[in-house]
Amino acid sequence: ALFISFNISAKCSYRFNNANIKINIYLPILIWWLIYRESLMHIISGHNMTHRDLCGDSSSTTTDSASPVPNSYESLEGGGYSGTSLRSPPAGVPAKQAPPFGYNYPTMHPAYQQNPAPKPNPSPSHGGYNPPGYQPYSQPFPSLSELSSALGGLGGVSELEAETLRPVNLLQERNILPPKRAPPPEPNLSNDLRKVNCSPDTFRCTLTNIPQTQALLNKARLPLGLLLHPFRDLTQLPVITSNTIVRCRSCRTYINPFVSFLDQRRWKCNLCYRVNDVPDEFMYNPVTRSYGEPHKRPEVQNSTVEFIASSDYMLRPPQPAVYLFLLDVSHNAVESGYLNVFCQSLLDNLEKLPGDTRTHIGFVTFDSTVHFYNLQEGLSQPQMLVVSDIDDVFIPTHDSLLVNLKESKELVKDLLNALPGMFTHTRETQSALGPALQAAYKLMSPTGGRVTVFQTQLPTLGAGLLQSREDPNLRSSTKNVLHLGPATDFYKKLALDCSGQQIGVDLFLLSSQYSDLASLACVSKYSAGSVFYYPSFHHIHNTAQKQKFQKDLQRYLTRKIGFEAVMRIRCTKGLSIHTFHGNFFVRSTDLLSLANVNPDSGFAVQMSIEESLADTSLACFQAALLYTSSKGKRRIRVHTLCLPVVSQLSEVFAGADIQAISCLLANMAIDRSISSSLSDARDALVNAVVDCLTAYRANGSNIQPSGLIAPAALRLFPLYVLALLKQKALRTGTSTRLDERVFSMCELKSQPLQQIMRMVHPDLYRIDNMTEQAALHLNDSVIPQPPLLQLTAEKLTREGAFLLDCGSVMYLWVGKCCNETFIRDVLGFQNYASLPSNMTEIPELQTTYSERTRAFISWLLESRTFLPAFHVVKDDASTKTSFFQHLVEDRTESAFSYYEFLLHIQQQMSK
Amino acid sequence: MEAAVFILSLVDCCALIFLSVYFFIITLTIITLSDLECDYINARSCCSKLNKWVIPEMIAQALATVLMLVSMHWFVFLLNLPVASWDVYRYVKVPMGNMGVYDPTEIHNRGQLKSHMKEAMIKLGFHLLCFFIYLYR
């Protein structure tokens, strides 16, 4: 119970619900008791009086306690629209509330309505909603009427909508891929709201037009959900320090740009519609240093803000940054040589570890025993303490195993220098991961923090030992894949214990054999950690993997980190969240407990519409992440997203965000494959497309019946689903190791949307003939913009060189007859034959050709946090299968080509 | 003759006692689940509380069923059988990595909380019914 403020809020918002539920529970018991009494009475004396009395009693109790529910909401909402008009509004605010939309058009610039497709960066004359001297009366506060009228183009179907609804015959359209990665669809809001709305990189909804009712949503057959990347690295973030953080008194929503100010002193919550007071402090605007402008405060001007929280938001002093490294030092681990890479990397980044003067660090190594390191300041060298009792592991000494990094820096450096050499001749092949984790838990539980585990094999000793479950002969079976779930609940329990003590566990698995990642990953999954997997890692034999490990470690060690975090996602009354995806523990209905939060993890939630949204025109979602920064400050990052509510099925289709839908479907499919079976999950994915397109066909009457018709907004749906079916996580028939499959599942569930999309449907470019045409010019470097190509071998030519960007890995495929200038000027070799088969980087050559290519690649990597592994693939090398498996539109032995898949869908639809 | 009636009523009495224990269990389930729904307790403690009662509930139900079979109350036996088999099925079907029938990491997902609640309600109704059958038989 560390975060009382969040809990209180939940209790408040559920109070009414609760009354209802308690009645539900007690009623049957009461009835039972009554009847029981009755029967007793009957038996004893046949007396009827008591029974009648009691009955009257019970019915009155029921009505009494049931009635507050609607009543309270009534008072909360102020009786809907009429209620607000009862209050006398101050001068300047129209006394009568406008109807939801289409009424206030005169306040808009006339040109706006004729504007065909609202531009992303509109000119100020279109944007300002309060141009001086234009409006007949000035309206100081964006009242509800304005907010609702602000829904652009709802009077009729706008041209933008018409474009996204344009029917596309998928069977005839060959090149459906846009030349550039398509931006997410813009919600159909006014420019003012759109300008302040949350960035789609942070917060995305699968349907940018929220359907009004669950029935409408069911008709569209599309999943409704949110994809979040809340702790993303931001370049610009307004940070607010104030004594009172303004929140709705009823639902505890943070004040945001989409609330409406009724007058100077009152604001109306956009999630529960309660009218709240504006506190005095809020009247002063620290940015403009003026008084009396609550609507100009940064909280109301930005949909992403960060508050410095006061002591109300903590139950204990903010914890220091504490890092514990748990290293496998068995024979297998030493053989792979990861220790050297890790120690070097940590030595290089020791200064850059996020933290302040209180930062603590510790090391534990394990093979068949657990070794602790005493790094107490003042010792001449690190002391190793061995605990061989792994059945009941204990902490040998309490205060000197986790030491202040600043004070014991020299000892830590000594240890890191010595560690790789200490175990070079070990004969120990066993691994006691479970006891080591228990030790780590005991060591960390007073403070909380981050545990980083490096494991190279199956744990074979002590608690949590695992058996090999993979049958290599079944790797490519088309039948069911077994063992996708954990084999034991040990790791899950441990993760929940860790989560309770604010310990996050990150897992680096570097192994060549099966290590049962399905079980091991649980330790990170439920403690909000991250999982990294380097199959067949070896420091000499697999340089690509080693480089990737180095790059990942560099980012991992230096990236931002938040401790003891919780995230709550609130949505407009009527919407509710029913399923969560990602690495965390769902502590209560809408509270995610995140022991650690890192900037590279994404989350997804599925939602349902419980009550009709007919009386509102905007739906809002707010994600609030409360965390302790590495500097020991308690902070709250708040993101708010606002979307229009629509009543027509065609509008729902028009607003579909196909990338978000695909990602959410991927998450759902993975859940299904674990809880049910892989083939079920695959069928469900195909059915998702079939159902959606059938719904679209049934809706549109003016569409020619032949062909496979999809609205333009959904034209990539079948392609993305096909790509999903060919992912390592979900494919069948192609040989896939169980660990790699499970890792792919972990990635799909915990990565942010952009990363998943690149993984599922990589970008293919031809880069040997890039011209400066349409190139970007960014501070005197020229970045060519080659068009995206369909993922099919048909687009590859022997004369070309192609770049395939899969997010975590990049391939440069060089054709047999690739022009020699490219090979010489970019790759630095004389001809195709002299190219080595295991090139992992592009040399920095001083030719324009090379510079242009490198500029393009580094532009692609610009916003990436983890740098991808790079492979140069020759057309004849054995590595080319790993390149060709990403060409998802092509037929493989066991999977459809894109065209076959379309025909399959058409066939299913006509059934 | 007298002895047979005596044994029969004894058996019935036993079943009743089991049922009332049971009643307690079922009621507990509903209250705990509703507490979870309202955020009064966290998922971890809720689930560990409920998982403790899964096996006793199963045994009690199985015993009641067996007693009915022994006393040759065919109708009541057939009434009890599906519930007993559902209890056993539900227990056997728990995946290996889960922490019991109620898993804290999954209870908030995919409407599981609601379905558990529904199940407990149905059982409550069933036991009410049984109670009267036993009482007035």
PDB file of all heavy atoms in Angstrom, chain A residues 10 18 22 25 32 35 39 492 497 526 578-580 588, chain B residues 34-35 38-40 44 98 103 105 108-110 128 132 136:
ATOM      1  N   ALA A  10      -9.355   5.513  -6.525  1.00  0.00           N
ATOM      2  CA  ALA A  10     -10.147   4.400  -7.026  1.00  0.00           C
ATOM      3  C   ALA A  10     -11.368   4.176  -6.159  1.00  0.00           C
ATOM      4  O   ALA A  10     -12.456   3.940  -6.643  1.00  0.00           O
ATOM      5  CB  ALA A  10      -9.302   3.150  -7.051  1.00  0.00           C
ATOM      6  N   ASN A  18     -19.916   0.253  -5.973  1.00  0.00           N
ATOM      7  CA  ASN A  18     -19.755  -0.648  -4.870  1.00  0.00           C
ATOM      8  C   ASN A  18     -21.076  -0.860  -4.149  1.00  0.00           C
ATOM      9  O   ASN A  18     -21.450  -1.977  -3.836  1.00  0.00           O
ATOM     10  CB  ASN A  18     -18.732  -0.032  -3.920  1.00  0.00           C
ATOM     11  CG  ASN A  18     -18.408  -0.950  -2.820  1.00  0.00           C
ATOM     12  OD1 ASN A  18     -18.503  -2.154  -3.022  1.00  0.00           O
ATOM     13  ND2 ASN A  18     -18.048  -0.436  -1.687  1.00  0.00           N
ATOM     14  N   LYS A  22     -22.598  -4.443  -3.422  1.00  0.00           N
ATOM     15  CA  LYS A  22     -22.866  -4.960  -2.095  1.00  0.00           C
ATOM     16  C   LYS A  22     -24.334  -5.386  -1.981  1.00  0.00           C
ATOM     17  O   LYS A  22     -24.643  -6.371  -1.345  1.00  0.00           O
ATOM     18  CB  LYS A  22     -22.549  -3.891  -1.046  1.00  0.00           C
ATOM     19  CG  LYS A  22     -21.059  -3.675  -0.857  1.00  0.00           C
ATOM     20  CD  LYS A  22     -20.390  -4.864  -0.201  1.00  0.00           C
ATOM     21  CE  LYS A  22     -18.899  -4.604  -0.054  1.00  0.00           C
ATOM     22  NZ  LYS A  22     -18.107  -5.812  -0.009  1.00  0.00           N
ATOM     23  N   ILE A  25     -24.736  -8.678  -3.414  1.00  0.00           N
ATOM     24  CA  ILE A  25     -24.269  -9.792  -2.595  1.00  0.00           C
ATOM     25  C   ILE A  25     -25.227 -10.049  -1.451  1.00  0.00           C
ATOM     26  O   ILE A  25     -25.596 -11.169  -1.173  1.00  0.00           O
ATOM     27  CB  ILE A  25     -22.907  -9.481  -1.963  1.00  0.00           C
ATOM     28  CG1 ILE A  25     -21.926  -9.087  -3.033  1.00  0.00           C
ATOM     29  CG2 ILE A  25     -22.394 -10.649  -1.195  1.00  0.00           C
ATOM     30  CD1 ILE A  25     -20.859  -8.239  -2.443  1.00  0.00           C
ATOM     31  N   TRP A  32     -32.218 -15.365   1.624  1.00  0.00           N
ATOM     32  CA  TRP A  32     -32.008 -16.704   2.152  1.00  0.00           C
ATOM     33  C   TRP A  32     -32.338 -16.745   3.641  1.00  0.00           C
ATOM     34  O   TRP A  32     -33.036 -17.610   4.136  1.00  0.00           O
ATOM     35  CB  TRP A  32     -30.544 -17.108   1.918  1.00  0.00           C
ATOM     36  CG  TRP A  32     -30.181 -18.376   2.600  1.00  0.00           C
ATOM     37  CD1 TRP A  32     -30.531 -19.629   2.224  1.00  0.00           C
ATOM     38  CD2 TRP A  32     -29.444 -18.515   3.805  1.00  0.00           C
ATOM     39  NE1 TRP A  32     -30.040 -20.540   3.106  1.00  0.00           N
ATOM     40  CE2 TRP A  32     -29.374 -19.885   4.092  1.00  0.00           C
ATOM     41  CE3 TRP A  32     -28.829 -17.604   4.666  1.00  0.00           C
ATOM     42  CZ2 TRP A  32     -28.713 -20.367   5.210  1.00  0.00           C
ATOM     43  CZ3 TRP A  32     -28.165 -18.093   5.768  1.00  0.00           C
ATOM     44  CH2 TRP A  32     -28.129 -19.467   6.037  1.00  0.00           C
ATOM     45  N   ILE A  35     -36.076 -16.445   4.206  1.00  0.00           N
ATOM     46  CA  ILE A  35     -36.808 -17.672   3.914  1.00  0.00           C
ATOM     47  C   ILE A  35     -36.515 -18.729   4.966  1.00  0.00           C
ATOM     48  O   ILE A  35     -37.377 -19.483   5.400  1.00  0.00           O
ATOM     49  CB  ILE A  35     -36.461 -18.170   2.503  1.00  0.00           C
ATOM     50  CG1 ILE A  35     -36.807 -17.068   1.504  1.00  0.00           C
ATOM     51  CG2 ILE A  35     -37.218 -19.433   2.167  1.00  0.00           C
ATOM     52  CD1 ILE A  35     -36.327 -17.324   0.122  1.00  0.00           C
ATOM     53  N   SER A  39     -39.197 -20.481   7.224  1.00  0.00           N
ATOM     54  CA  SER A  39     -39.415 -21.921   7.342  1.00  0.00           C
ATOM     55  C   SER A  39     -39.388 -22.342   8.810  1.00  0.00           C
ATOM     56  O   SER A  39     -40.183 -23.161   9.250  1.00  0.00           O
ATOM     57  CB  SER A  39     -38.364 -22.688   6.549  1.00  0.00           C
ATOM     58  OG  SER A  39     -37.094 -22.312   6.993  1.00  0.00           O
ATOM     59  N   LYS A 492       6.804 -16.760 -11.393  1.00  0.00           N
ATOM     60  CA  LYS A 492       5.692 -15.825 -11.308  1.00  0.00           C
ATOM     61  C   LYS A 492       5.525 -15.330  -9.875  1.00  0.00           C
ATOM     62  O   LYS A 492       5.403 -14.128  -9.635  1.00  0.00           O
ATOM     63  CB  LYS A 492       4.432 -16.565 -11.752  1.00  0.00           C
ATOM     64  CG  LYS A 492       3.289 -15.689 -12.142  1.00  0.00           C
ATOM     65  CD  LYS A 492       2.109 -16.567 -12.500  1.00  0.00           C
ATOM     66  CE  LYS A 492       1.394 -16.065 -13.713  1.00  0.00           C
ATOM     67  NZ  LYS A 492       0.337 -16.972 -14.145  1.00  0.00           N
ATOM     68  N   ASP A 497       6.305 -11.164  -5.704  1.00  0.00           N
ATOM     69  CA  ASP A 497       6.963 -10.724  -4.470  1.00  0.00           C
ATOM     70  C   ASP A 497       7.833  -9.514  -4.755  1.00  0.00           C
ATOM     71  O   ASP A 497       7.813  -8.527  -4.015  1.00  0.00           O
ATOM     72  CB  ASP A 497       7.829 -11.851  -3.894  1.00  0.00           C
ATOM     73  CG  ASP A 497       6.984 -12.963  -3.298  1.00  0.00           C
ATOM     74  OD1 ASP A 497       5.830 -12.679  -2.935  1.00  0.00           O
ATOM     75  OD2 ASP A 497       7.465 -14.103  -3.206  1.00  0.00           O
ATOM     76  N   TYR A 526       6.076 -10.032 -14.871  1.00  0.00           N
ATOM     77  CA  TYR A 526       5.189  -9.539 -13.818  1.00  0.00           C
ATOM     78  C   TYR A 526       5.862  -8.573 -12.856  1.00  0.00           C
ATOM     79  O   TYR A 526       5.235  -8.062 -11.954  1.00  0.00           O
ATOM     80  CB  TYR A 526       4.580 -10.724 -13.067  1.00  0.00           C
ATOM     81  CG  TYR A 526       3.831 -11.627 -13.998  1.00  0.00           C
ATOM     82  CD1 TYR A 526       4.295 -12.886 -14.325  1.00  0.00           C
ATOM     83  CD2 TYR A 526       2.667 -11.176 -14.599  1.00  0.00           C
ATOM     84  CE1 TYR A 526       3.613 -13.692 -15.214  1.00  0.00           C
ATOM     85  CE2 TYR A 526       1.985 -11.978 -15.500  1.00  0.00           C
ATOM     86  CZ  TYR A 526       2.456 -13.230 -15.793  1.00  0.00           C
ATOM     87  OH  TYR A 526       1.785 -14.009 -16.688  1.00  0.00           O
ATOM     88  N   HIS A 578     -10.817  -3.706 -20.071  1.00  0.00           N
ATOM     89  CA  HIS A 578     -11.016  -5.059 -19.555  1.00  0.00           C
ATOM     90  C   HIS A 578      -9.805  -5.960 -19.695  1.00  0.00           C
ATOM     91  O   HIS A 578      -9.734  -6.982 -19.034  1.00  0.00           O
ATOM     92  CB  HIS A 578     -12.266  -5.702 -20.146  1.00  0.00           C
ATOM     93  CG  HIS A 578     -12.213  -5.910 -21.621  1.00  0.00           C
ATOM     94  ND1 HIS A 578     -11.625  -7.005 -22.162  1.00  0.00           N
ATOM     95  CD2 HIS A 578     -12.674  -5.169 -22.635  1.00  0.00           C
ATOM     96  CE1 HIS A 578     -11.733  -6.934 -23.477  1.00  0.00           C
ATOM     97  NE2 HIS A 578     -12.353  -5.837 -23.795  1.00  0.00           N
ATOM     98  N   THR A 579      -8.835  -5.619 -20.511  1.00  0.00           N
ATOM     99  CA  THR A 579      -7.659  -6.475 -20.609  1.00  0.00           C
ATOM    100  C   THR A 579      -6.413  -5.611 -20.786  1.00  0.00           C
ATOM    101  O   THR A 579      -6.456  -4.599 -21.471  1.00  0.00           O
ATOM    102  CB  THR A 579      -7.798  -7.444 -21.796  1.00  0.00           C
ATOM    103  OG1 THR A 579      -9.005  -8.174 -21.644  1.00  0.00           O
ATOM    104  CG2 THR A 579      -6.656  -8.416 -21.844  1.00  0.00           C
ATOM    105  N   PHE A 580      -5.337  -6.023 -20.145  1.00  0.00           N
ATOM    106  CA  PHE A 580      -4.092  -5.271 -20.208  1.00  0.00           C
ATOM    107  C   PHE A 580      -3.002  -6.135 -20.849  1.00  0.00           C
ATOM    108  O   PHE A 580      -2.947  -7.331 -20.600  1.00  0.00           O
ATOM    109  CB  PHE A 580      -3.624  -4.887 -18.802  1.00  0.00           C
ATOM    110  CG  PHE A 580      -4.606  -4.037 -18.049  1.00  0.00           C
ATOM    111  CD1 PHE A 580      -5.638  -4.612 -17.343  1.00  0.00           C
ATOM    112  CD2 PHE A 580      -4.474  -2.672 -18.044  1.00  0.00           C
ATOM    113  CE1 PHE A 580      -6.541  -3.830 -16.645  1.00  0.00           C
ATOM    114  CE2 PHE A 580      -5.370  -1.880 -17.345  1.00  0.00           C
ATOM    115  CZ  PHE A 580      -6.409  -2.455 -16.647  1.00  0.00           C
ATOM    116  N   SER A 588      -5.086  -3.538  -9.373  1.00  0.00           N
ATOM    117  CA  SER A 588      -6.535  -3.462  -9.247  1.00  0.00           C
ATOM    118  C   SER A 588      -7.098  -3.056 -10.592  1.00  0.00           C
ATOM    119  O   SER A 588      -6.344  -2.879 -11.540  1.00  0.00           O
ATOM    120  CB  SER A 588      -6.931  -2.490  -8.153  1.00  0.00           C
ATOM    121  OG  SER A 588      -6.650  -1.189  -8.586  1.00  0.00           O
TER     122      SER A 588
ATOM    123  N   SER B  34     -15.907  -9.249  -4.920  1.00  0.00           N
ATOM    124  CA  SER B  34     -16.461  -7.905  -5.051  1.00  0.00           C
ATOM    125  C   SER B  34     -15.523  -6.887  -4.414  1.00  0.00           C
ATOM    126  O   SER B  34     -15.397  -5.773  -4.877  1.00  0.00           O
ATOM    127  CB  SER B  34     -17.855  -7.831  -4.444  1.00  0.00           C
ATOM    128  OG  SER B  34     -17.780  -7.431  -3.104  1.00  0.00           O
ATOM    129  N   ASP B  35     -14.848  -7.311  -3.359  1.00  0.00           N
ATOM    130  CA  ASP B  35     -13.839  -6.434  -2.770  1.00  0.00           C
ATOM    131  C   ASP B  35     -12.754  -6.113  -3.779  1.00  0.00           C
ATOM    132  O   ASP B  35     -12.301  -4.985  -3.888  1.00  0.00           O
ATOM    133  CB  ASP B  35     -13.196  -7.113  -1.546  1.00  0.00           C
ATOM    134  CG  ASP B  35     -13.969  -6.815  -0.279  1.00  0.00           C
ATOM    135  OD1 ASP B  35     -14.946  -6.062  -0.385  1.00  0.00           O
ATOM    136  OD2 ASP B  35     -13.607  -7.332   0.779  1.00  0.00           O
ATOM    137  N   CYS B  38     -13.860  -3.675  -6.270  1.00  0.00           N
ATOM    138  CA  CYS B  38     -13.948  -2.312  -5.766  1.00  0.00           C
ATOM    139  C   CYS B  38     -12.613  -1.819  -5.280  1.00  0.00           C
ATOM    140  O   CYS B  38     -12.534  -0.765  -4.667  1.00  0.00           O
ATOM    141  CB  CYS B  38     -14.927  -2.223  -4.618  1.00  0.00           C
ATOM    142  SG  CYS B  38     -16.451  -2.988  -4.978  1.00  0.00           S
ATOM    143  N   ASP B  39     -11.574  -2.622  -5.449  1.00  0.00           N
ATOM    144  CA  ASP B  39     -10.241  -2.142  -5.128  1.00  0.00           C
ATOM    145  C   ASP B  39      -9.993  -2.027  -3.620  1.00  0.00           C
ATOM    146  O   ASP B  39      -9.227  -1.192  -3.182  1.00  0.00           O
ATOM    147  CB  ASP B  39     -10.034  -0.773  -5.792  1.00  0.00           C
ATOM    148  CG  ASP B  39      -8.576  -0.532  -6.109  1.00  0.00           C
ATOM    149  OD1 ASP B  39      -7.783  -1.425  -5.793  1.00  0.00           O
ATOM    150  OD2 ASP B  39      -8.244   0.507  -6.661  1.00  0.00           O
ATOM    151  N   TYR B  40     -10.692  -2.831  -2.819  1.00  0.00           N
ATOM    152  CA  TYR B  40     -10.423  -2.792  -1.385  1.00  0.00           C
ATOM    153  C   TYR B  40      -9.228  -3.667  -1.020  1.00  0.00           C
ATOM    154  O   TYR B  40      -8.541  -3.428  -0.046  1.00  0.00           O
ATOM    155  CB  TYR B  40     -11.652  -3.257  -0.591  1.00  0.00           C
ATOM    156  CG  TYR B  40     -12.757  -2.248  -0.594  1.00  0.00           C
ATOM    157  CD1 TYR B  40     -14.073  -2.631  -0.468  1.00  0.00           C
ATOM    158  CD2 TYR B  40     -12.478  -0.894  -0.727  1.00  0.00           C
ATOM    159  CE1 TYR B  40     -15.088  -1.693  -0.489  1.00  0.00           C
ATOM    160  CE2 TYR B  40     -13.479   0.039  -0.747  1.00  0.00           C
ATOM    161  CZ  TYR B  40     -14.787  -0.355  -0.625  1.00  0.00           C
ATOM    162  OH  TYR B  40     -15.775   0.559  -0.643  1.00  0.00           O
ATOM    163  N   ARG B  44      -3.325  -9.939  -5.415  1.00  0.00           N
ATOM    164  CA  ARG B  44      -2.489 -10.993  -4.845  1.00  0.00           C
ATOM    165  C   ARG B  44      -3.161 -11.625  -3.626  1.00  0.00           C
ATOM    166  O   ARG B  44      -3.339 -12.838  -3.548  1.00  0.00           O
ATOM    167  CB  ARG B  44      -1.141 -10.388  -4.454  1.00  0.00           C
ATOM    168  CG  ARG B  44      -0.128 -11.373  -3.955  1.00  0.00           C
ATOM    169  CD  ARG B  44       0.668 -11.935  -5.106  1.00  0.00           C
ATOM    170  NE  ARG B  44       1.288 -13.198  -4.764  1.00  0.00           N
ATOM    171  CZ  ARG B  44       2.501 -13.306  -4.240  1.00  0.00           C
ATOM    172  NH1 ARG B  44       3.212 -12.244  -3.987  1.00  0.00           N
ATOM    173  NH2 ARG B  44       3.005 -14.493  -3.986  1.00  0.00           N
ATOM    174  N   ASN B  98       0.282 -21.400 -13.522  1.00  0.00           N
ATOM    175  CA  ASN B  98      -0.624 -20.527 -12.778  1.00  0.00           C
ATOM    176  C   ASN B  98      -0.610 -20.845 -11.292  1.00  0.00           C
ATOM    177  O   ASN B  98      -0.281 -21.953 -10.888  1.00  0.00           O
ATOM    178  CB  ASN B  98      -2.046 -20.655 -13.325  1.00  0.00           C
ATOM    179  CG  ASN B  98      -2.261 -19.744 -14.514  1.00  0.00           C
ATOM    180  OD1 ASN B  98      -1.289 -19.312 -15.130  1.00  0.00           O
ATOM    181  ND2 ASN B  98      -3.483 -19.455 -14.829  1.00  0.00           N
ATOM    182  N   ASP B 103      -5.801 -16.711 -10.541  1.00  0.00           N
ATOM    183  CA  ASP B 103      -4.417 -16.279 -10.721  1.00  0.00           C
ATOM    184  C   ASP B 103      -4.353 -14.750 -10.678  1.00  0.00           C
ATOM    185  O   ASP B 103      -5.029 -14.081 -11.450  1.00  0.00           O
ATOM    186  CB  ASP B 103      -3.875 -16.793 -12.055  1.00  0.00           C
ATOM    187  CG  ASP B 103      -2.390 -16.582 -12.171  1.00  0.00           C
ATOM    188  OD1 ASP B 103      -1.977 -15.496 -12.615  1.00  0.00           O
ATOM    189  OD2 ASP B 103      -1.646 -17.487 -11.787  1.00  0.00           O
ATOM    190  N   THR B 105      -2.328 -12.640 -11.682  1.00  0.00           N
ATOM    191  CA  THR B 105      -1.856 -11.896 -12.852  1.00  0.00           C
ATOM    192  C   THR B 105      -2.884 -11.887 -13.969  1.00  0.00           C
ATOM    193  O   THR B 105      -2.752 -11.150 -14.923  1.00  0.00           O
ATOM    194  CB  THR B 105      -0.557 -12.496 -13.393  1.00  0.00           C
ATOM    195  OG1 THR B 105      -0.798 -13.875 -13.676  1.00  0.00           O
ATOM    196  CG2 THR B 105       0.555 -12.388 -12.387  1.00  0.00           C
ATOM    197  N   HIS B 108      -7.621  -9.810 -13.657  1.00  0.00           N
ATOM    198  CA  HIS B 108      -8.176  -8.569 -14.196  1.00  0.00           C
ATOM    199  C   HIS B 108      -8.290  -8.597 -15.710  1.00  0.00           C
ATOM    200  O   HIS B 108      -8.745  -7.637 -16.309  1.00  0.00           O
ATOM    201  CB  HIS B 108      -7.313  -7.384 -13.785  1.00  0.00           C
ATOM    202  CG  HIS B 108      -7.531  -6.980 -12.367  1.00  0.00           C
ATOM    203  ND1 HIS B 108      -8.738  -6.528 -11.920  1.00  0.00           N
ATOM    204  CD2 HIS B 108      -6.716  -6.984 -11.293  1.00  0.00           C
ATOM    205  CE1 HIS B 108      -8.651  -6.257 -10.643  1.00  0.00           C
ATOM    206  NE2 HIS B 108      -7.448  -6.536 -10.221  1.00  0.00           N
ATOM    207  N   ASN B 109      -7.815  -9.662 -16.318  1.00  0.00           N
ATOM    208  CA  ASN B 109      -7.810  -9.686 -17.777  1.00  0.00           C
ATOM    209  C   ASN B 109      -8.962 -10.488 -18.351  1.00  0.00           C
ATOM    210  O   ASN B 109      -9.468 -11.414 -17.722  1.00  0.00           O
ATOM    211  CB  ASN B 109      -6.484 -10.272 -18.279  1.00  0.00           C
ATOM    212  CG  ASN B 109      -5.444  -9.201 -18.445  1.00  0.00           C
ATOM    213  OD1 ASN B 109      -5.676  -8.054 -18.097  1.00  0.00           O
ATOM    214  ND2 ASN B 109      -4.308  -9.565 -18.981  1.00  0.00           N
ATOM    215  N   ARG B 110      -9.335 -10.122 -19.527  1.00  0.00           N
ATOM    216  CA  ARG B 110     -10.342 -10.837 -20.310  1.00  0.00           C
ATOM    217  C   ARG B 110     -11.618 -11.117 -19.503  1.00  0.00           C
ATOM    218  O   ARG B 110     -12.190 -12.194 -19.582  1.00  0.00           O
ATOM    219  CB  ARG B 110      -9.770 -12.143 -20.865  1.00  0.00           C
ATOM    220  CG  ARG B 110      -8.899 -11.907 -22.079  1.00  0.00           C
ATOM    221  CD  ARG B 110      -8.117 -13.134 -22.436  1.00  0.00           C
ATOM    222  NE  ARG B 110      -6.898 -13.214 -21.689  1.00  0.00           N
ATOM    223  CZ  ARG B 110      -6.441 -14.315 -21.123  1.00  0.00           C
ATOM    224  NH1 ARG B 110      -7.098 -15.423 -21.210  1.00  0.00           N
ATOM    225  NH2 ARG B 110      -5.298 -14.309 -20.460  1.00  0.00           N
ATOM    226  N   LEU B 128     -28.740 -22.709  -2.652  1.00  0.00           N
ATOM    227  CA  LEU B 128     -30.029 -22.320  -2.077  1.00  0.00           C
ATOM    228  C   LEU B 128     -31.077 -23.362  -2.432  1.00  0.00           C
ATOM    229  O   LEU B 128     -31.829 -23.848  -1.592  1.00  0.00           O
ATOM    230  CB  LEU B 128     -30.451 -20.971  -2.643  1.00  0.00           C
ATOM    231  CG  LEU B 128     -30.116 -19.769  -1.785  1.00  0.00           C
ATOM    232  CD1 LEU B 128     -30.385 -18.503  -2.556  1.00  0.00           C
ATOM    233  CD2 LEU B 128     -30.963 -19.807  -0.521  1.00  0.00           C
ATOM    234  N   PHE B 132     -33.190 -26.210   0.114  1.00  0.00           N
ATOM    235  CA  PHE B 132     -34.618 -26.468   0.298  1.00  0.00           C
ATOM    236  C   PHE B 132     -34.978 -27.893  -0.054  1.00  0.00           C
ATOM    237  O   PHE B 132     -35.846 -28.495   0.552  1.00  0.00           O
ATOM    238  CB  PHE B 132     -35.435 -25.464  -0.502  1.00  0.00           C
ATOM    239  CG  PHE B 132     -35.316 -24.107   0.103  1.00  0.00           C
ATOM    240  CD1 PHE B 132     -34.630 -23.102  -0.533  1.00  0.00           C
ATOM    241  CD2 PHE B 132     -35.838 -23.875   1.367  1.00  0.00           C
ATOM    242  CE1 PHE B 132     -34.491 -21.879   0.054  1.00  0.00           C
ATOM    243  CE2 PHE B 132     -35.696 -22.646   1.958  1.00  0.00           C
ATOM    244  CZ  PHE B 132     -35.029 -21.638   1.305  1.00  0.00           C
ATOM    245  N   TYR B 136     -36.962 -29.990   2.719  1.00  0.00           N
ATOM    246  CA  TYR B 136     -38.363 -30.411   2.562  1.00  0.00           C
ATOM    247  C   TYR B 136     -38.524 -31.738   1.867  1.00  0.00           C
ATOM    248  O   TYR B 136     -39.604 -32.272   1.784  1.00  0.00           O
ATOM    249  CB  TYR B 136     -39.143 -29.354   1.774  1.00  0.00           C
ATOM    250  CG  TYR B 136     -39.280 -28.065   2.509  1.00  0.00           C
ATOM    251  CD1 TYR B 136     -38.653 -26.924   2.069  1.00  0.00           C
ATOM    252  CD2 TYR B 136     -40.034 -28.015   3.678  1.00  0.00           C
ATOM    253  CE1 TYR B 136     -38.770 -25.742   2.750  1.00  0.00           C
ATOM    254  CE2 TYR B 136     -40.156 -26.839   4.366  1.00  0.00           C
ATOM    255  CZ  TYR B 136     -39.528 -25.705   3.901  1.00  0.00           C
ATOM    256  OH  TYR B 136     -39.647 -24.525   4.578  1.00  0.00           O
TER     257      TYR B 136
END
